[in-house]
Amino acid sequence: MLEFDQIALHYDARVIFEQFSLAIPQPRVVISGANGTGKTTLLMLAAGLIAPQAGQVTFNGESVLSSQVKKQIGISATKVALPGFLSVKALLEFHAGQFGCSAEHALIDDFKLKQYFATKVADLSLGNYKKLSLVTAVMHQPQLLLLDEPTNGLDEQSLLVLNSLISDYPGQVVIASHQSMAADSADVRHIALKREGVTHT
Ligand SMILES: Nc1ncnc2c1ncn2[C@@H]1O[C@H](COP(=O)(O)OP(=O)(O)OP(=O)(O)O)[C@@H](O)[C@H]1O
């Protein structure tokens, strides 16, 4: 379970979260909200990529800032930039080395990425960059998968691949999105972020 406990997160004088608490036991969660309400910030906190000024973010009871827990988390977000100077193949191998997993993954074929193995990450199209980012998020099979606007830039075929990835994923999936997703079924928790707090819908 992902849990935010009494979080404070300020960017200089700007307060994004203050005494913010939220427990998310559901396996599928879609977070929506207007631009700038803090969806990406929430995912970055959940990934342990930024630390709150107060409070704690935990996954299954342990701080997401611990390196052991970080290995159980995968994130795909534009703000989490992939190194542009590496080739696609080199990046996948680097990521596999970091997480001690295989550099092979069915999603690489499903997204037809092999043809770009020699291409530098910086030279990928928007959609192919998004696909690579999704692959790096899932290839170590994290228990918690965080997807920020995962549909951005994807063509129709790739959207089908993404939708089945989300539906079939064995771990918890938390999505920040403006669009309705395949995950939008009855057993999905919807959380609407508002500037003054959180509304559950
Ligand atoms: N590193 C930073 N320094 C200062 N302000 C920041 C930083 N990162 C985000 N912000 C501000 O924090 C607020 C929340 O940003 P965030 O990206 O989390 O929102 P969002 O809900 O994901 O927005 P969008 O829907 O546009 O992607 C915004 O006002 C943004 O300008």
Side-chain angles (χ1 to χ4, degrees), residues 42-50 57 64 70 73-75 144 146:
L42 201 65
L43 294 193
M44 305 273 277
L45 283 164
L49 294 175
I50 53 176
V57 187
V64 297
K70 274 187 184 161
I73 301 173
I75 182 165
L144 174 61
L146 305 166

Side-chain angles (χ1 to χ4, degrees), residues 32-53:
S32 61
N35 295 135
T37 44
K39 302 179 296 296
T40 299
T41 302
L42 201 65
L43 294 193
M44 305 273 277
L45 283 164
L49 294 175
I50 53 176
Q53 281 100 9

Side-chain angles (χ1 to χ4, degrees), residues 46 71 86 91 108:
K71 289 199 168 176
L86 290 178
L91 173 67
I108 296 170

Side-chain angles (χ1 to χ4, degrees), residues 157-185:
Q157 178 59 36
S158 307
L159 286 175
L160 294 177
V161 172
L162 173 69
N163 286 340
S164 40
L165 168 76
I166 293 169
S167 307
D168 301 342
Y169 198 75
Q172 187 174 30
V173 185
V174 180
I175 301 164
S177 179
H178 293 96
Q179 309 206 357
S180 59
M181 312 266 316
D184 278 352
S185 61

Side-chain angles (χ1 to χ4, degrees), residues 20-149:
F20 174 88
S21 294
L22 178 67
I24 313 180
Q26 293 83 0
R28 299 289 179 271
V29 184
V30 176
I31 298 171
S32 61
N35 295 135
T37 44
K39 302 179 296 296
T40 299
T41 302
L42 201 65
L43 294 193
M44 305 273 277
L45 283 164
L49 294 175
I50 53 176
Q53 281 100 9
Q56 219 194 1
V57 187
T58 56
F59 181 61
N60 293 338
E62 292 187 59
S63 170
V64 297
L65 296 175
S66 98
S67 51
Q68 275 311 103
V69 177
K70 274 187 184 161
K71 289 199 168 176
Q72 300 168 23
I73 301 173
I75 182 165
S76 168
T78 306
K79 278 199 174 170
V80 184
L82 305 175
F85 60 90
L86 290 178
S87 70
V88 168
K89 189 162 190 283
L91 173 67
L92 292 171
E93 286 170 352
F94 174 76
H95 187 85
Q98 290 280 95
F99 284 89
C101 65
S102 166
E104 300 282 326
H105 195 284
L107 204 53
I108 296 170
D109 282 328
D110 294 347
F111 276 151
K112 300 183 173 49
L113 278 177
K114 273 200 175 137
Q115 60 191 302
Y116 301 106
F117 266 14
T119 303
K120 268 192 186 173
V121 171
D123 295 335
L124 288 173
S125 68
L126 174 70
N128 286 325
Y129 182 94
K130 176 60 94 177
K131 291 178 207 170
L132 182 62
S133 161
L134 289 163
V135 170
T136 60
V138 300
M139 66 190 285
H140 55 291
Q141 299 187 318
Q143 292 177 37
L144 174 61
L145 182 57
L146 305 166
L147 305 178
D148 194 11
E149 303 289 353

